[in-house]
């Protein structure tokens, strides 16, 4: 039997990454293959239906997989995650020269966010603002809908809109705030952080109950055994944005679960109930 994993092709580099990992895993004795999906909703449905054994899932895809799996009596679990998936934050940034000094100053203002299904640039930071009592007009930048924020084009467009004065604030992942500054989208010193979310976790390798246990355990052991010092895998790890694979955990998704419930994105059984969402 071959362990079959799903990955979403949010960027051409996904093919390079998983083709490289596939060759490495097979040379280390694991019969492994992967299939590509155009969006996360189909990948999650195939995982919980047993058509694939594992899925490299976004945090939002994890929430849906958990709900669908429980509803179908086929619970899923996180096997591994990247070191860079742990304890992330989203930030709400404003222009450095703006007169916005507190969250209360955002009342009635337009706030730029990513695509409707972006956990880090939409669901989590907008929930954070609601919890702080900020009644804002969310302006979504719908790039890469269905990719759950992995395509940061909408997030970057929100940052550009902030700089252009089209919105009063923008919601971005903290690491992307740094990236946008380094690449010049947000010139150094042009913005400041108004508020930030509590820490949360990002992607994980989600495993179906029906997956062959021996192959899954071997898969997890090989991934966590990858060394950043290995010249063969280091370029792949760099592309995937990690230095080591860590054991997966399901404890960092409570805020996203709450945001999903507050917006009605999925129902308790994992059905897509968000309006105007067509991946």
């Amino acid at each position: 039997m071959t362990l079959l994993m799903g990955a979403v092709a949010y960027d051409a580099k996904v093919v390079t990454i998983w083709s490289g990992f596939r060759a490495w895993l097979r040379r280390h004795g694991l019969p492994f293959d992967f299939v590509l999906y155009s969006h996360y909703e189909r990948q999650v449905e195939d995982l919980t239906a047993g058509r694939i054994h594992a899925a490299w899932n976004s945090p939002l895809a994890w929430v849906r997989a958990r709900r669908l799996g429980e509803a179908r009596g086929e619970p899923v679990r996180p096997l591994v995650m990247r070191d860079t998936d742990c304890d992330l934050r989203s930030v709400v940034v404003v222009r450095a020269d703006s007169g916005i000094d507190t969250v209360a100053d955002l009342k009635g203002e337009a706030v730029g966010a990513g695509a409707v299904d972006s956990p880090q640039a939409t669901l989590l930071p907008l929930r954070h603002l609601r919890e702080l009592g900020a009644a804002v007009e969310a302006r979504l930048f719908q790039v890469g809908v269905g990719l759950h924020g992995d395509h940061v084009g909408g997030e970057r467009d929100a940052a550009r809109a902030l700089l252009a004065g089209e919105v009063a604030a923008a919601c971005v992942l903290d690491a992307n705030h740094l990236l946008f500054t380094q690449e010049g989208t947000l010139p150094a010193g042009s913005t400041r952080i108004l508020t930030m979310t509590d820490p949360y976790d990002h992607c994980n390798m989600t495993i179906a109950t029906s997956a062959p246990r021996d192959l899954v355990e071997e898969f997890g052991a090989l991934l966590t055994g990858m060394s950043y010092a290995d010249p063969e895998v280091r370029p792949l790890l760099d592309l995937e944005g990690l230095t080591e694979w860590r054991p997966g955990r399901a404890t960092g998704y409570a805020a996203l679960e709450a945001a999903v419930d507050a917006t009605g994105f999925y129902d308790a059984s994992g059905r897509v109930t968000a309006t105007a969402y067509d991946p």
Side-chain angles (χ1 to χ4, degrees):
M1 177 179 287
T2 296
L3 185 74
L4 187 60
M5 186 208 78
V8 170
Y10 68 91
D11 188 277
K13 71 179 182 179
V14 173
V15 177
T16 301
I17 292 166
W18 285 105
S19 293
F21 283 157
R22 176 183 182 272
W24 188 91
L25 291 166
R26 290 173 71 91
R27 279 199 298 275
H28 284 75
L30 179 69
F32 172 84
D33 207 350
F34 68 95
V35 293
L36 295 178
Y37 289 85
S38 61
H39 60 81
Y40 278 105
E41 308 310 334
R42 187 175 300 280
Q43 175 172 289
V44 168
E45 289 164 5
D46 279 3
L47 176 72
T48 55
R51 288 187 282 270
I52 56 176
H53 302 124
W56 183 219
N57 269 341
S58 75
L60 186 60
W62 158 257
V63 169
R64 188 179 185 211
R66 187 195 65 74
R67 296 183 181 200
L68 272 178
E70 288 187 1
R72 295 174 176 176
E74 296 287 341
V76 299
R77 64 183 177 96
L79 179 68
V80 297
M81 58 203 314
R82 301 169 299 185
D83 54 345
T84 49
D85 285 315
C86 303
D87 301 319
L88 307 185
R89 291 178 185 264
S90 294
V91 295
V92 180
V93 297
V94 297
R95 293 186 304 278
D97 60 358
S98 77
I100 298 173
D101 297 316
T102 69
V103 170
D105 294 332
L106 285 178
K107 181 179 179 180
E109 297 284 357
V111 174
V116 64
D117 57 343
S118 172
Q120 70 263 11
T122 303
L123 292 166
L124 286 164
L126 291 181
R127 173 181 179 268
H128 175 66
L129 290 175
R130 287 194 299 270
E131 286 187 320
L132 294 178
V136 302
E137 175 199 340
R139 188 169 301 173
L140 304 184
F141 289 83
Q142 299 276 46
V143 179
V145 175
L147 303 180
H148 292 188
D150 286 355
H151 189 300
V152 301
E155 201 169 335
R156 185 177 279 108
D157 284 350
R160 288 171 174 150
L162 172 65
L163 199 63
E166 298 168 6
V167 296
C171 302
V172 298
L173 182 68
D174 55 353
N176 285 340
H177 184 224
L178 176 61
L179 170 65
F180 297 160
T181 300
Q182 292 172 336
E183 70 185 18
T185 298
L186 295 174
S190 66
T191 62
R192 51 187 166 83
I193 295 174
L194 184 67
T195 185
M196 65 176 62
T197 67
D198 289 333
Y200 59 85
D201 285 351
H202 210 258
C203 302
N204 74 59
M205 185 69 71
T206 310
I207 302 298
T209 302
S210 59
R213 183 174 296 274
D214 57 338
L215 295 183
V216 166
E217 295 310 313
E218 186 178 359
F219 183 38
L222 285 170
L223 288 177
T224 55
M226 282 183 175
S227 171
Y228 195 65
D230 183 341
E232 181 181 0
V233 297
R234 182 168 184 164
L236 301 174
L237 296 175
D238 284 340
L239 279 176
E240 188 54 58
L242 73 155
T243 59
E244 66 174 356
W245 294 98
R246 295 180 178 176
R249 64 187 187 187
T251 55
Y253 301 100
L256 184 56
E257 293 269 10
V260 166
D261 288 334
T263 58
F265 201 93
Y266 302 132
D267 69 11
S269 298
R271 290 175 295 188
V272 178
T273 48
T275 57
Y277 176 55
D278 185 19

